[in-house]
Amino acid sequence: MKKIIFLLLVICSRSVYAQEFAVDQNVFAAGIGFGGSFGSYNYGSQTPAISLQYERGIWPIDGPGVISLGGYVGFKSYKYEQQYSNFYYKHKWSYTIIGLRSAYHYTGLEVENLDVYGGLMLSYNIVKYKYTTNDGFDLGLYKGNYGSTVGLTVYVGGRYYLTDNIAGFMELGYGVSFVNLGLAFRFQ
């Protein structure tokens, strides 16, 4: 993690100007997340946090910058199983986050191929829990939606374009994870 942050700082220290995000520009991104408060157990198994994002540049802002609007979907699950004698106890949590995002893309940096941004996301966090056992006491009481809620997220991020349309990105904030890394694809 420290190496990634250091790499972003080195990239930001370059002094060539390029505007990397504009009005009417579209970006689709897919990422893998690390960290998060969902399933903080030291045992069991979990899927990696995955997310899909889309945004479009909507409004130019004097300052300089561009405001974007878009959407976000993220998913992660945890599973924990116990075995006592001939009985098993299985716990499974799944987390799906569906959100609407808006970001301010600062276009005044003199750094070629870099898009830096910060924003807010309004989301609905769907938490499901399922418990099964073969001990005869699985009454179906612990199934279904479990603590689902509306959330508000603040995030910051950056994309570094490796080609005209493909970028690596990193975001810090709260979605399905605290840190999200992945690839972004820019198109008109």
Side-chain angles (χ1 to χ4, degrees):
M1 175 63 118
K2 290 180 184 178
K3 290 180 183 181
I4 293 170
I5 293 171
F6 177 74
L7 178 62
L8 283 175
L9 291 174
V10 168
I11 292 169
C12 290
S13 68
R14 295 175 30 185
S15 61
V16 180
Y17 178 75
Q19 183 174 333
E20 295 306 330
F21 194 80
V23 172
D24 295 331
Q25 191 172 85
N26 300 287
V27 175
F28 175 79
I32 295 179
F34 304 94
S37 61
F38 297 140
S40 56
Y41 298 105
N42 293 327
Y43 42 84
S45 63
Q46 57 185 295
T47 64
I50 56 171
S51 65
L52 299 174
Q53 308 169 20
Y54 167 77
E55 70 178 318
R56 179 177 175 82
I58 303 294
W59 299 289
I61 301 293
D62 291 335
V66 175
I67 299 289
S68 67
L69 292 177
Y72 175 95
V73 175
F75 177 80
K76 183 170 187 131
S77 70
Y78 293 88
K79 182 170 57 172
Y80 173 64
E81 297 180 17
Q82 299 168 303
Q83 183 79 33
Y84 296 108
S85 185
N86 292 327
F87 300 111
Y88 66 82
Y89 305 90
K90 297 179 182 180
H91 308 266
K92 183 176 181 182
W93 295 264
S94 64
Y95 304 95
T96 304
I97 297 176
I98 301 169
L100 297 173
R101 298 170 29 127
S102 181
Y104 172 70
H105 295 259
Y106 182 68
T107 58
L109 286 179
E110 295 182 2
V111 180
E112 188 176 3
N113 300 325
L114 183 66
D115 173 21
V116 293
Y117 55 91
L120 296 171
M121 178 173 69
L122 178 64
S123 63
Y124 187 66
N125 306 329
I126 303 165
V127 182
K128 292 191 175 188
Y129 172 72
K130 183 178 180 182
Y131 170 75
T132 56
T133 182
N134 65 346
D135 69 1
F137 293 103
D138 182 7
L139 304 176
L141 300 175
Y142 304 108
K143 295 178 181 164
N145 289 342
Y146 188 79
S148 298
T149 185
V150 173
L152 183 64
T153 300
V154 175
Y155 63 92
V156 295
R159 297 184 190 115
Y160 186 76
Y161 283 88
L162 307 168
T163 70
D164 287 342
N165 298 317
I166 299 174
F169 81 90
M170 179 173 132
E171 283 186 4
L172 304 173
Y174 185 74
V176 75
S177 60
F178 295 140
V179 178
N180 199 23
L181 303 173
L183 288 176
F185 306 93
R186 173 172 55 185
F187 57 98
Q188 288 293 351

